[in-house]
């Protein structure tokens, strides 16, 4: 439930409106007892402020950020790509066997 809204937003707001299309890259890396996840798209450039993404009327990004904070104490980070689109990153702890 964390990846789906980020990928959906990448398609809807990044890839779909871009005349040339684009790509979505999802990467997962295990590091320091956490899984670091990145959703990166090369579609349409977002021109608003990054802070506004969490305050828009849509619920996908804000719900994902709240879910990460509530369940894992982690933040959803957003940055602009060097080329165009946006990159969302977060990490979740790896469960330990007790």
């Amino acid at each position: 439930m964390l990846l789906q809204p980020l990928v959906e937003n990448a398609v809807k707001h990044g890839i779909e409106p871009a005349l040339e299309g684009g790509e979505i890259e999802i990467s997962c890396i295990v590091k320091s007892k956490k899984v670091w996840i990145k959703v990166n798209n090369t579609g349409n450039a977002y021109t608003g402020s990054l802070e506004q993404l969490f305050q828009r009327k849509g619920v996908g990004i804000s719900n994902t950020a709240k879910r990460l904070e509530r369940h894992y104490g982690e933040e959803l980070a957003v940055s602009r790509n060097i080329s165009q689109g946006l990159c969302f990153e977060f990490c979740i702890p790896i469960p330990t066997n007790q």
Side-chain angles (χ1 to χ4, degrees):
M1 294 305 292
L2 293 171
L3 282 176
Q4 184 271 334
L6 298 177
V7 173
E8 185 177 301
N9 275 339
V11 171
K12 182 177 179 180
H13 300 291
I15 304 301
E16 185 179 313
L19 293 176
E20 301 84 28
E23 296 179 2
I24 296 173
E25 177 184 37
I26 301 170
S27 61
C28 302
I29 299 171
V30 176
K31 181 180 172 183
S32 303
K33 298 182 181 182
K34 293 184 178 187
V35 178
W36 297 81
I37 301 167
K38 183 188 295 189
V39 178
N40 191 40
N41 84 74
T42 61
N44 225 21
Y46 176 72
T47 57
S49 77
L50 297 180
E51 294 78 26
Q52 287 177 328
L53 287 171
F54 296 95
Q55 300 165 355
R56 297 175 80 180
K57 60 183 172 182
V59 295
I61 293 174
S62 62
N63 280 354
T64 300
K66 289 174 187 174
R67 200 173 286 130
L68 277 167
E69 177 65 36
R70 188 175 304 124
H71 292 290
Y72 304 107
E74 299 290 345
E75 291 186 10
L76 178 62
V78 60
S79 59
R80 296 182 196 280
N81 289 337
I82 294 171
S83 57
Q84 287 198 104
L86 295 174
C87 178
F88 288 90
E89 298 178 80
F90 64 93
C91 66
I92 54 175
I94 297 173
T96 57
N97 294 331
Q98 297 180 357

